Amino acid sequence: MLSVFALFIALLLHASWAQSTTHCATGGTANVLAPWYCSQINQQVTQVWQNWAPIALITATLAFLIAALIFMIGIVFKNDRVRTFGVGEMYEAIATALIAVGFLSLAAVVFGVIPAFTIGPINPYDTSLTYISNTVNATQGAVKSLYNVIMITSFYASLDLSVEVSGEAFSLTAILSPLSQTIAPLIISPAQTISGMLLGGLMVLSAEFYMILFFMYIAIPVFLIPGIIFRAILPLRGMGGMLIAIAIAFYLVMPLLFSVAYYFTNTSTIGALQASAAAITAHGQGTGAITNSASPTSPLVTDVTGLQSVMGGYFLSVLFYPALILVLTYTSMTVIADFIGGVSRRTGKLMI
C-alpha cells in the first residue's frame, strides 16, 4: 500500500511539472488568454515548488504511512472507529498531494483565465501596482499645487504695510485686511483641509502598494509550501490549512480584486486629480493667486472647489474599495481554511 501511494505521489508531482506544458504550451488556454502568466507567475511558482518537492514527497508519504498504520491497528483490534479514522487520514494524505499539484492550475485559472474574460489579458500585480503608483503620483501633484497656493496666498495675506510721512508712520494694514479675510475662508482653509485629506490618502495608498508587494514575494515560500507540508502532519493539519488559505487568498484573490477595482475606478480619479492640479497651478502663480481668489467666483476658488468635489470618488477608490477587497479576501481565506483545514472558527478570534 505504501509503495502504491509513493508511486501515486510521484505521478502527481510529475503532473505538477506537466501543468506548465498543459496551460502554457502553444495553443494552451493560459498561453492564449494570458501569455504574461506563462512567462512570469507559472515559472516562479514552478521554480520555488521544485526546491521543496522532495520534502513534500517525504512528508506526504510519512502521513500516508501513519494513516495506513492506524488503519491496520483498527483491523487488528476490529475497531471500526479506528479503522474509519485511518481511512480518513489516507484521504487527507491524498488531498494534500492534490492541493500541491492543483495550485498551478488554480493560479492559471484565477490569474490568467478569469481576468482574460473580464478585463483582458492583464497581469493583476502589474495592473494594481501601476494604478496605485499612478494614483500616488497624481495625488502628490495635487498636494504640491495646493501647497504652493497656500504658501503664496498666506504670504500676501500676511503682509503688513506702513507709510512714513514726516516721521509719522501710517499703517495700511486696514486696507489689506478685507482681502486677507476673504482669502482665508475661500482659499487657505479649504486648501489646507484638502491637502491634509490627500496626505492621508497617500499613506493609505503606500500601505496598499507595499502590502501587495509583501504577499507577492512571501506567499509561496512562507505560506504555501510550509502549509502543504504542515497539512500532511496530523497535529499540524489545521495550521497547514490556514497557511495554504492565506497563500491562496492574498497571493491570488487580493491582487485580482485590486486590479479589477483600480481598472474601473482609478482612470477617472487620476484624470480629475491631474486636471484640478494643472488648473490650480495655472491660476495660483505669483500675484495672480491673489487676484484669482478675491471672490467666490474667482478662478482659483473655483479650481479648489472642483478639487474638493473630486474627493468623494477619490476616497471611494482609495478607502472604500480596498476595505471591501480586504473583507472579501479575509472571507475567502476563512472559507478555504474551513474547506482544507477546518480551523478558521477556532482562530477567528485571534485574527480579528
Side-chain angles (χ1 to χ4, degrees), residues 25 86 96 110 113 120 123 146 153 176 187 209 221 251 258 326 345:
T96 300
V110 174
V113 177
N123 186 336
L146 289 173
T153 54
L176 297 176
I187 294 295
F209 186 89
Y251 186 77
F258 266 109
L326 292 178
R345 291 189 180 91

Side-chain angles (χ1 to χ4, degrees), residues 6 25 36-37 41 63 70 91 120 171 174 196 249 259 290 349:
W36 64 267
Y37 170 81
I41 302 297
I70 296 173
Y91 288 143
S171 176
S259 65
I290 299 300
K349 295 181 180 180

Side-chain angles (χ1 to χ4, degrees), residues 165-253:
V165 179
S166 300
E168 186 174 356
F170 298 92
S171 176
L172 300 179
T173 304
I175 300 177
L176 297 176
S177 60
L179 181 61
S180 63
Q181 292 174 1
T182 303
I183 294 174
L186 292 180
I187 294 295
I188 297 177
S189 296
Q192 288 176 339
T193 302
I194 296 174
S195 62
M197 295 171 64
L198 290 175
L199 289 175
L202 278 177
M203 291 188 288
V204 174
L205 288 170
S206 299
E208 296 170 3
F209 186 89
Y210 288 107
M211 180 178 63
I212 295 175
L213 279 181
F214 176 78
F215 283 102
M216 181 178 69
Y217 284 108
I218 74 164
I220 294 176
V222 176
F223 292 103
L224 178 66
I225 305 301
I228 292 174
I229 295 174
F230 289 159
R231 194 186 183 281
I233 304 173
L234 178 59
L236 302 177
R237 179 166 301 146
M239 180 187 298
M242 180 58 73
L243 291 177
I244 295 173
I246 292 174
I248 294 175
F250 286 93
Y251 186 77
L252 298 179
V253 178

Side-chain angles (χ1 to χ4, degrees), residues 111-130:
F111 264 13
V113 177
I114 294 178
F117 284 107
T118 55
I119 55 181
I122 64 171
N123 186 336
Y125 279 105
D126 286 345
T127 303
S128 56
L129 294 178
T130 299

Side-chain angles (χ1 to χ4, degrees), residues 39-173:
S39 61
Q40 299 178 31
I41 302 297
N42 186 71
Q43 293 182 3
Q44 178 187 1
V45 175
T46 303
Q47 181 179 2
V48 174
W49 178 236
Q50 284 177 344
N51 298 329
W52 290 85
I55 298 178
L57 176 60
I58 295 173
T59 306
T61 305
L62 180 62
F64 187 83
L65 177 61
I66 296 174
L69 180 61
I70 296 173
F71 177 75
M72 288 186 291
I73 292 174
I75 293 178
V76 170
F77 290 97
K78 297 181 180 181
N79 190 320
D80 291 337
R81 179 175 298 180
V82 175
R83 184 175 56 187
T84 303
F85 180 75
V87 173
E89 288 302 306
M90 292 181 189
Y91 288 143
E92 290 292 345
I94 296 174
T96 300
L98 291 176
I99 291 172
V101 174
F103 183 78
L104 288 180
S105 295
L106 179 63
V109 172
V110 174
F111 264 13
V113 177
I114 294 178
F117 284 107
T118 55
I119 55 181
I122 64 171
N123 186 336
Y125 279 105
D126 286 345
T127 303
S128 56
L129 294 178
T130 299
Y131 276 118
I132 291 176
S133 179
N134 292 339
T135 306
V136 168
N137 294 333
T139 303
Q140 290 175 341
V143 172
K144 181 180 179 181
S145 64
L146 289 173
Y147 176 80
N148 292 333
V149 168
I150 292 172
M151 295 301 294
I152 292 174
T153 54
S154 297
F155 169 75
Y156 284 108
S158 62
L159 289 178
D160 185 8
L161 300 180
S162 61
V163 177
E164 184 175 346
V165 179
S166 300
E168 186 174 356
F170 298 92
S171 176
L172 300 179
T173 304

